[in-house]
């Protein structure tokens, strides 16, 4: 990775990289419907090509050998494979409920209040999330969250 290059090519041909978010088909992956799941966050692959999209976005073609897929990724979706990785149970847009009362200046959100994950703060220990509860966004540790619909929630692979 070339640290000083944030708006241009940061990863080089052959470099091992890791996905920081799940990837779904945006319509550019052949043979699958738009929105179909392609790769799970944390997957590791090798950069095999660097190109551009709309003349201003650098796109890395990454070969994920274990999944048998080659996918185009933007720089902000990738980190070096050997960079510290803190896997999370939830991700952006997951629906969750709090398992304890969460105090606020206006009162509290009682246990069982549903919210939506807005951001995963991977660099924190313990892992934290920005969760949008009704009318307020809170920073919440993973330990006090559960899936809003456990029957349909898919746990991340170990």
């Amino acid at each position: 990775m070339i640290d000083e290059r944030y708006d241009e090519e940061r990863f080089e041909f052959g470099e091992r990289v890791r996905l920081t978010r799940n990837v779904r088909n945006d319509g550019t992956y052949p043979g699958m419907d738009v929105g179909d799941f392609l790769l799970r966050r944390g997957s590791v692959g090798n950069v095999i090509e660097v190109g551009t999209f709309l003349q201003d976005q650098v796109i890395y073609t990454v070969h994920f050998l274990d999944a048998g897929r080659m996918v185009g990724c933007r720089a902000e979706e990738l980190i070096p494979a050997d960079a510290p990785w803190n896997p999370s149970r939830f991700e952006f847009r997951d629906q969750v409920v709090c398992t304890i009362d969460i105090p606020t200046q206006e009162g509290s959100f009682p246990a069982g209040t549903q919210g939506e994950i807005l951001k995963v703060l991977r660099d924190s220990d313990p892992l934290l999330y920005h969760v949008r509860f009704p009318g307020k966004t809170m920073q919440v540790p993973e330990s006090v969250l559960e899936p809003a619909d456990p029957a349909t929630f898919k746990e991340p692979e170990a």
Side-chain angles (χ1 to χ4, degrees), residues 14-32:
E15 188 170 351
R16 288 178 53 79
V17 293
R18 181 183 309 274
L19 281 173
T20 60
R21 67 176 194 88
N22 285 347
V23 175
R24 296 186 178 277
N25 187 10
D26 62 1
T28 60
Y29 195 87
M32 296 182 80

Side-chain angles (χ1 to χ4, degrees), residues 4-135:
E4 59 273 4
R5 296 180 78 179
Y6 289 100
D7 59 345
E8 298 178 26
E9 298 175 28
R10 291 195 298 170
F11 301 102
E12 299 180 31
F13 177 81
E15 188 170 351
R16 288 178 53 79
V17 293
R18 181 183 309 274
L19 281 173
T20 60
R21 67 176 194 88
N22 285 347
V23 175
R24 296 186 178 277
N25 187 10
D26 62 1
T28 60
Y29 195 87
M32 296 182 80
D33 292 333
V34 173
D36 281 354
F37 180 83
L38 294 174
L39 293 162
R40 184 154 199 85
R41 67 188 181 274
S43 297
V44 174
N46 292 352
V47 175
I48 61 169
E49 187 177 5
V50 181
T52 58
F53 177 68
L54 298 177
Q55 299 179 351
D56 68 345
Q57 297 176 41
V58 176
I59 302 293
Y60 300 92
T61 302
V62 181
H63 186 201
F64 295 91
L65 188 60
D66 291 345
R69 296 208 162 120
M70 289 184 280
V71 176
C73 302
R74 296 184 313 267
E76 59 268 18
E77 299 172 319
L78 302 170
I79 60 173
D82 58 358
W85 175 248
N86 192 1
S88 62
R89 184 174 184 202
F90 304 107
E91 66 177 72
F92 176 65
R93 292 192 179 161
D94 277 350
Q95 299 296 309
V96 295
V97 293
C98 56
T99 59
I100 62 169
D101 293 348
I102 298 177
T104 69
Q105 290 179 339
E106 297 81 25
S108 72
F109 290 112
T113 301
Q114 185 167 330
E116 180 178 47
I117 302 292
L118 297 181
K119 185 173 184 178
V120 181
L121 304 173
R122 291 189 191 285
D123 296 336
S124 62
D125 187 22
L127 193 79
L128 298 171
Y129 298 90
H130 286 173
V131 181
R132 182 68 180 168
F133 291 107

